[in-house]
Amino acid sequence: MHPAQIDLKGRTALVTGASSGLGARFASVLAASGANVVLAARRVDKLQQLREEIERAGGRAFAVEMDVGDERSTRQAYDAAEKAFGTVDTIIANAGMNVEGPIIDLPVAELDALLAVNVRGVILTVREGARRLFAAPAERKHGRIVIMSSLTASTVSPGLALYSASKAAVAQLGRVLAREWVNRGVNVNVLCPGYIETDLNSDWFHTEGGQRQIQRWPRKRMMDISSLDSILLYLAADASSHVTGSVFTVDDGQSL
């Protein structure tokens, strides 16, 4: 299914981590397909730039400051989103961070910071959205939640133990929540992408070690940032009404 074939008019999507990388891409793609898009992140200046780009292209967007690891900030962001566009029915829990290095040497402060974003942040984001969807009028109960995990949730990546563990945690979280909410009008699915060059990994893949890693993959290439467009839009659309509790790996064969 080509992205241009998916019509999201009438939907309101909230994308966390929308200030850069995949989050910014997701927001632009959702808006181009007709959704009202709430851009959520801590870097509001970046969000405003993206909002202007989306609106120049004919889309509708609203920027809101949101610290996913903070419950009060999360609630306030949803309040603002509802004032702008009404009930958020499509939630893309994308915000994430990474710390590299042997876990035996990681300071506790770095451990806590990563888990606050990658695990607690996902939980706070999706449960706040789900609470509001459960209370919404019946015609709004066609919710979609997409949790961003990672290929590293199921592969062994030395130096990424903490990041990998956090992504495995949210992958299983998504499956359990799908079961808990299966009769509440909300579909929950998990997307596990392979390596796409973003702010989180760009420095590494421009090193000699990063280039060696690329050469070990069967296709010896990074994925393009557009590689997830189609599956993201499918999971956000009415077409995926019978899809919940699934974990999708899109990695260009990197795990083979």
Side-chain angles (χ1 to χ4, degrees):
M1 182 179 293
H2 191 277
Q5 297 176 312
I6 298 178
D7 185 354
L8 298 181
K9 289 184 178 67
R11 282 194 169 272
T12 293
L14 181 143
V15 182
T16 65
S19 57
S20 64
L22 285 175
R25 175 69 186 189
F26 293 161
S28 296
V29 169
L30 290 163
S33 292
N36 301 320
V37 180
V38 180
L39 314 171
R42 289 179 291 187
R43 295 182 293 177
V44 181
D45 57 332
K46 296 286 187 181
L47 296 180
Q48 294 294 1
Q49 292 175 20
L50 179 59
R51 178 188 61 78
E52 292 172 4
E53 291 173 10
I54 288 172
E55 291 179 346
R56 281 197 299 270
R60 298 185 69 203
F62 175 75
V64 61
E65 183 176 4
M66 178 175 170
D67 179 352
V68 296
D70 182 86
E71 186 172 34
R72 181 178 181 182
S73 175
T74 299
R75 287 175 176 168
Q76 290 175 338
Y78 273 97
D79 287 343
E82 289 181 354
K83 287 180 180 178
F85 292 135
T87 302
V88 173
D89 54 37
T90 305
I91 300 158
I92 314 300
N94 166 77
M97 64 172 291
N98 185 28
V99 293
E100 296 184 26
I103 199 166
I104 198 168
D105 297 325
L106 285 180
V108 170
E110 291 190 13
L111 186 155
D112 288 344
L114 183 142
L115 294 178
V117 174
N118 291 13
V119 180
R120 186 171 75 215
V122 171
I123 294 170
L124 295 180
T125 297
V126 301
R127 79 171 186 177
E128 185 63 27
R131 284 170 174 165
R132 293 167 188 249
L133 274 169
F134 296 161
E139 64 270 16
R140 301 297 295 175
K141 291 188 177 179
H142 56 313
R144 299 287 185 271
I145 295 176
V146 179
I147 294 174
M148 291 302 297
S149 179
S150 166
L151 178 66
T152 63
S154 57
T155 59
V156 176
S157 303
L160 294 178
L162 184 58
Y163 179 81
S164 300
S166 72
K167 292 302 183 178
V170 297
Q172 183 64 0
L173 172 72
R175 297 184 71 243
V176 175
L177 293 182
R179 179 62 182 86
E180 290 186 3
W181 299 342
V182 71
N183 292 316
R184 304 294 299 272
V186 177
N187 287 2
V188 185
N189 292 290
V190 179
L191 187 51
C192 294
Y195 286 97
I196 298 169
E197 187 171 338
T198 66
D199 293 346
L200 285 178
N201 60 33
S202 181
D203 289 346
W204 162 248
F205 283 110
H206 284 90
T207 66
E208 185 176 335
Q211 289 299 306
R212 285 198 301 269
Q213 182 178 356
I214 293 173
Q215 291 306 306
R216 289 196 294 269
W217 298 331
R219 290 179 171 166
K220 304 183 188 307
R221 67 185 185 186
M222 294 284 284
M223 291 171 60
D224 186 81
I225 197 165
S226 66
S227 303
L228 305 178
D229 292 359
S230 293
I231 192 163
L232 176 82
L233 292 174
Y234 170 70
L235 293 176
D238 291 344
S240 62
S241 60
H242 291 86
V243 181
T244 192
S246 294
V247 178
F248 295 87
T249 297
V250 182
D251 68 356
D252 197 36
Q254 292 173 6
S255 58
L256 299 177

